[in-house]
Amino acid sequence: MAVTDAAIDKIKGMIVSGELAPGARLPKEADLAERLGLSRNSLREAVRALALINVLDVRQGDGTYVTSLEPRLLLDALSFVVDFHRDDTVLEFFQVRRILEPSATAMAAANMSADAIEELRTILEALPEDPNIEQLVANDLDFHQAIAKGSGNTVLCSLIESLSGPTTRARIWRGLTQEGATAKTREQHTAIYEAIASHQPDVAHAWATVHVAGVEEWLRRAL
């Protein structure tokens, strides 16, 4: 394992230094192993590990390439890991959401284009009058992802999307057990949308805080 870790560090060093840029093809396996002083088996294990976290892209019959290294790709591995959360840690994910989402919502209020705001309105109005739980959760995810994207910060957007997975079950529990959850969600989403549409970052931040903190508080009592 230590040898594989060393191999990973050496490939990482080539990428960080700029020797291997995003989209670059790695040298042939035999050449790279010799150059880095590694066995071919160690190099293969390192490549597999880096491919799992979307740093490398192994294309059968073509070669191995550095990915675009975009935050969306790199943080995709985070969403996989956080899905293993335990129920007693879900509150910690909500605490992180309460830090990130209000800021993203405020940025969206300052940065979102007219077209993006119209798209957000379309998502808001797409929720049926009497939605089932699946429709409510899907619409909620779409709404928050559109706002995160509207922040204009790709890292922030990717982080928020990565944290959506572990909170999905909590949203379902809330919808199933809390009376008036649908009406409250619709009301708060509308208030957030109106603050964004009128370009009021402070108001948008406040409503997003209320929205996330409300779910967190209910979950705190339920656990």
Side-chain angles (χ1 to χ4, degrees):
M1 198 65 194
V3 176
T4 302
D5 288 344
I8 290 171
D9 283 342
K10 289 182 178 182
I11 297 173
K12 175 185 173 184
M14 294 176 71
I15 296 171
V16 172
S17 70
E19 185 177 350
L20 288 173
R25 181 176 178 174
L26 270 65
K28 291 181 179 180
E29 182 183 274
D31 295 340
L32 185 59
E34 182 179 359
R35 176 178 168 186
L36 297 179
L38 301 167
S39 71
R40 293 177 71 168
N41 282 338
S42 296
L43 180 59
R44 285 183 198 134
E45 289 299 321
V47 167
R48 286 194 194 100
L50 291 170
L52 283 173
I53 58 172
N54 297 325
V55 172
L56 297 179
D57 178 19
V58 179
R59 304 175 189 174
Q60 294 299 326
D62 185 14
T64 300
Y65 293 80
V66 180
T67 67
S68 65
L69 302 179
E70 293 177 356
R72 174 186 57 80
L73 274 178
L74 299 180
L75 290 171
D76 187 52
L78 174 62
S79 66
F80 176 81
V81 172
V82 298
D83 278 342
F84 291 101
H85 81 288
R86 303 183 310 276
D87 289 344
D88 61 349
T89 61
V90 70
L91 274 172
E92 296 182 7
F93 287 104
F94 265 94
Q95 289 165 356
V96 176
R97 278 192 57 205
R98 182 158 44 85
I99 294 168
L100 298 180
E101 287 201 29
S103 295
T105 306
M107 292 169 68
N111 298 327
M112 280 181 80
S113 66
D115 287 345
I117 292 172
E118 179 62 23
E119 181 181 341
L120 187 64
R121 184 182 68 81
T122 299
I123 294 172
L124 186 65
E125 294 178 350
L127 186 66
E129 190 62 34
D130 187 22
N132 58 37
I133 298 303
E134 290 75 16
Q135 290 170 324
L136 182 63
V137 171
N139 186 267
D140 190 33
L141 285 169
D142 287 345
F143 184 80
H144 287 286
Q145 285 172 355
I147 292 173
K149 182 179 178 182
S151 71
N153 186 308
T154 57
V155 175
L156 182 57
C157 179
S158 297
L159 279 170
I160 290 173
E161 289 186 357
S162 296
L163 291 169
S164 293
T167 62
T168 299
R169 270 183 277 176
R171 288 190 181 115
I172 293 174
W173 298 338
R174 185 183 189 221
L176 286 170
T177 63
Q178 187 180 49
E179 185 178 352
T182 300
K184 184 173 291 186
T185 296
R186 194 190 302 271
E187 175 187 326
Q188 292 174 353
H189 279 191
T190 299
I192 291 169
Y193 162 75
E194 289 175 349
I196 291 173
S198 58
H199 298 292
Q200 298 184 75
D202 290 344
V203 178
H205 187 285
W207 271 113
T209 302
V210 168
H211 181 54
V212 178
V215 183
E216 181 187 340
E217 181 56 32
W218 168 81
L219 187 59
R220 192 184 304 277
R221 294 195 302 267
L223 289 177

